[in-house]
């Protein structure tokens, strides 16, 4: 069975979402461990202008963008998508002004990265992993998973497979972009730093 791995990327023109207090960004940096027992909701606000402060990003999405490290669920996505994600983590409530929003904290952490075949930068001083530029996975270690993070990068980014994306698409909610990183037949898709939609990518 072919396995393809993705992460999420923003779609042009759609809402982003950020903490009202920028200091709260650190509370949204997850590390693969559960936060439910000590969680206190972060107050969030929609971002309706792009990074240049020019064109309004005024298109509605059930998944306002906040980074590939966390998936935001707005309004009915909490009820429809939340249960699909819960086998792989937890849905933590946030606070929105006039809208409901939660965040998915992925607590499924696996050792599935083929470090020898992947393109990885390491810190010279410590030898620790700095960034992964192109991903290669061991297919047997990700089969049957819908969402996960890597032992080498717990909590970031959250990675998805087609099996779960199919379920998300089946809810009829929108808009979310999945950028393909690797395929068990085609191999790595290389460095994917910018949103450049290709035939192997997916949108819902």
């Amino acid at each position: 069975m072919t396995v393809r791995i993705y992460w999420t990327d923003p779609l042009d023109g759609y809402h982003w979402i950020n903490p009202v207090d920028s200091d709260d960004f650190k509370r949204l940096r997850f590390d693969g461990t559960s936060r439910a027992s000590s969680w206190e909701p972060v107050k969030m606000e929609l971002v309706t202008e792009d990074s240049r402060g020019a064109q309004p990003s005024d298109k509605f999405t059930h998944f306002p963008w906040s980074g590939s490290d966390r998936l935001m669920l707005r309004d009915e996505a909490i009820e429809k998508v939340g249960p699909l994600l819960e086998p792989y983590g937890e849905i933590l409530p946030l606070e929105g002004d006039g809208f409901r929003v939660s965040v998915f904290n992925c607590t499924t952490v696996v050792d599935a990265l083929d470090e020898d075949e992947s393109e990885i930068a390491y810190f010279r001083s410590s030898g620790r992993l700095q960034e992964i530029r192109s991903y290669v996975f061991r297919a047997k270690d990700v089969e049957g998973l819908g969402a996960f993070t890597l032992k080498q990068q717990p909590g970031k980014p959250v990675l998805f497979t087609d099996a779960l994306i199919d379920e998300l698409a089946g809810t009829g909610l929108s808009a979310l972009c999945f950028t393909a990183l690797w395929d068990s037949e085609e191999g790595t898709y290389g460095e994917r730093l910018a949103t450049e939609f290709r035939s192997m990518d997916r949108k819902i």
Side-chain angles (χ1 to χ4, degrees), residues 2-152:
T2 302
V3 180
R4 186 174 288 171
I5 307 298
Y6 307 76
W7 65 20
T8 55
D9 265 323
L11 286 169
D12 289 345
Y14 287 87
H15 288 152
W16 290 33
I17 192 167
N18 287 329
V20 172
D21 184 344
S22 60
D23 287 342
D24 282 334
F25 268 112
K26 60 181 177 293
R27 296 180 54 203
L28 297 174
R29 296 189 186 113
F30 301 121
D31 59 5
T33 61
S34 174
R35 301 285 184 85
S37 62
S38 60
W39 182 253
E40 294 184 4
V42 175
K43 189 166 182 59
M44 308 294 290
E45 62 182 354
L46 293 174
V47 179
T48 56
E49 293 185 348
D50 71 11
S51 59
R52 296 160 296 180
Q55 299 298 321
S57 301
D58 58 358
K59 294 181 182 178
F60 177 86
T61 171
H62 293 99
F63 310 96
W65 176 254
S66 185
S68 59
D69 301 352
R70 48 193 174 266
L71 181 62
M72 297 290 179
L73 311 176
R74 177 177 172 177
D75 300 323
E76 65 259 51
I78 298 170
E79 288 80 24
K80 291 185 176 182
V81 172
L84 303 178
L85 296 172
E86 283 179 343
Y88 310 105
E90 56 194 15
I91 308 300
L92 303 175
L94 303 169
E95 294 183 12
D97 187 6
F99 61 95
R100 295 183 300 124
V101 62
S102 294
V103 60
F104 171 54
N105 173 27
C106 184
T107 58
T108 300
V109 182
V110 298
D111 184 8
L113 183 71
D114 188 331
E115 292 194 47
D116 292 333
E117 297 297 324
S118 301
E119 184 181 351
I120 301 174
Y122 296 91
F123 289 104
R124 291 183 179 180
S125 57
S126 64
R128 292 186 300 107
L129 186 148
Q130 181 180 12
E131 66 173 328
I132 303 173
R133 293 172 178 158
S134 67
Y135 290 78
V136 176
F137 298 88
R138 293 186 295 273
K140 64 181 179 62
D141 294 322
V142 295
E143 287 182 0
L145 293 178
F148 62 94
T149 64
L150 293 169
K151 184 188 76 172
Q152 293 84 353

